[in-house]
Amino acid sequence: MFRGKNYKESAKLIDKQALYDPQDAFALVCQASKAKFDETVELHVKLGVDSRHADQQVRGAIVLPHGTGKTRRVLVFCKPEREEEARAAGADFVGGQDLVQKIQGENWFDYDVVVATPDMMGVVGRLGKLLGPKGLMPSPKAGTVTPNLTQAIHEIKAGKIEYRLDKTNIIHCPIGKVSFGAEKLVDNFNTLIAAIIKAKPAAAKGQYIRSCVTASTMGPGVKINANRQL
């Protein structure tokens, strides 16, 4: 794989075999960031579970103490009498059947999070094949199917993220921007890891957190000793 000059220079700063304490790991990620834009910092956590089994799913949502550094566009499905409430709370797009038709007819995905009131899920359910593969389908576990629209929208805008296993039993999450600096990134990291540990399925056997790696958008990965934060 071809790697650019900046990546190679950044990679020299990192010992690929080492497990870094969180503070050192995020300091390195910030130091290794060479891009001309404010890179997103992501966390990749491999778990000792099997996502093919329903009783070993790991999924939830939390508000990061310092947010993600990104303003997220929120689409809300609700009845007409609640549309004004959703807009007042900060929703970017609000509607019902009209939005379903727009998504189906135009393949429209100019939003980051979809929220729905429970009484709209019969309508929203028709979008499962379109929203599901993109991770946009509302769910009670993620707090995106809720009667409390104002709270849900405020939390998303404040930096609420959803974490869930992919097919390879890894959770991928943005936890901030390089400009946050190591301390804020560590705070966000600790909050996310604590939530993942709390969500450990009873059926999970053996070592739960197998590996934990962080990286900026264009930078090399840094391995974290996730147990050091406990």
Side-chain angles (χ1 to χ4, degrees):
M1 183 186 290
F2 173 77
R3 298 290 193 187
K5 180 183 174 185
N6 284 345
Y7 183 96
K8 289 176 180 175
E9 287 298 314
S10 298
K12 290 176 185 175
L13 301 169
I14 295 154
D15 180 350
K16 287 188 176 181
Q17 306 307 316
L19 277 180
Y20 291 93
D21 287 351
Q23 184 73 35
D24 296 334
F26 289 109
L28 272 172
V29 166
C30 294
Q31 187 183 347
S33 173
K34 306 288 187 187
K36 292 178 180 176
F37 61 94
D38 192 6
E39 296 180 60
T40 295
V41 178
E42 293 193 344
L43 193 68
H44 309 279
V45 185
K46 185 169 181 64
L47 299 180
V49 296
D50 188 340
S51 61
R52 292 173 298 179
H53 300 293
D55 63 351
Q56 293 188 45
Q57 290 295 325
V58 179
R59 182 178 184 179
I62 51 158
V63 178
L64 295 176
H66 303 289
T68 61
K70 180 184 177 186
T71 302
R72 304 176 86 197
R73 297 163 298 174
V74 180
L75 182 153
V76 173
F77 287 102
C78 63
K79 295 284 171 106
E81 59 269 21
R82 299 199 64 186
E83 288 186 4
E84 193 50 49
E85 176 194 345
R87 289 192 182 93
D92 299 275
F93 309 101
V94 183
Q97 185 62 43
D98 55 327
L99 291 182
V100 171
Q101 291 170 346
K102 183 177 174 70
I103 292 167
Q104 288 176 328
E106 302 174 23
N107 250 8
W108 175 61
F109 299 107
D110 293 338
Y111 41 87
D112 305 297
V113 185
V114 179
V115 175
T117 52
D119 56 6
M120 290 297 290
M121 284 310 291
V123 175
V124 180
R126 299 174 207 158
L127 297 171
K129 288 184 179 177
L130 292 170
L131 298 180
K134 294 182 178 292
L136 290 168
M137 193 67 185
S139 81
K141 268 196 170 180
T144 46
V145 176
T146 175
N148 194 337
L149 288 178
T150 299
Q151 181 183 341
I153 295 164
H154 284 173
E155 286 181 347
I156 292 164
K157 293 288 186 178
K160 186 175 188 177
I161 59 164
E162 182 182 355
Y163 57 88
R164 61 190 298 181
L165 282 178
D166 68 7
K167 289 179 181 177
T168 60
N169 306 314
I170 299 174
I171 290 173
H172 308 273
C173 273
I175 58 166
K177 297 282 188 179
V178 166
S179 62
F180 282 20
E183 285 192 17
K184 288 183 178 179
L185 290 170
V186 170
D187 286 346
N188 281 356
F189 164 78
N190 285 342
T191 301
L192 176 58
I193 284 290
I196 291 172
I197 291 170
K198 190 175 179 183
K200 180 181 179 179
K205 306 297 181 190
Q207 186 181 356
Y208 181 50
I209 295 183
R210 296 285 175 87
S211 68
C212 189
V213 178
T214 184
S216 62
T217 308
M218 307 292 286
V222 181
K223 294 178 184 175
I224 300 176
N225 183 355
N227 298 313
R228 286 301 297 269
Q229 65 84 230
L230 301 176

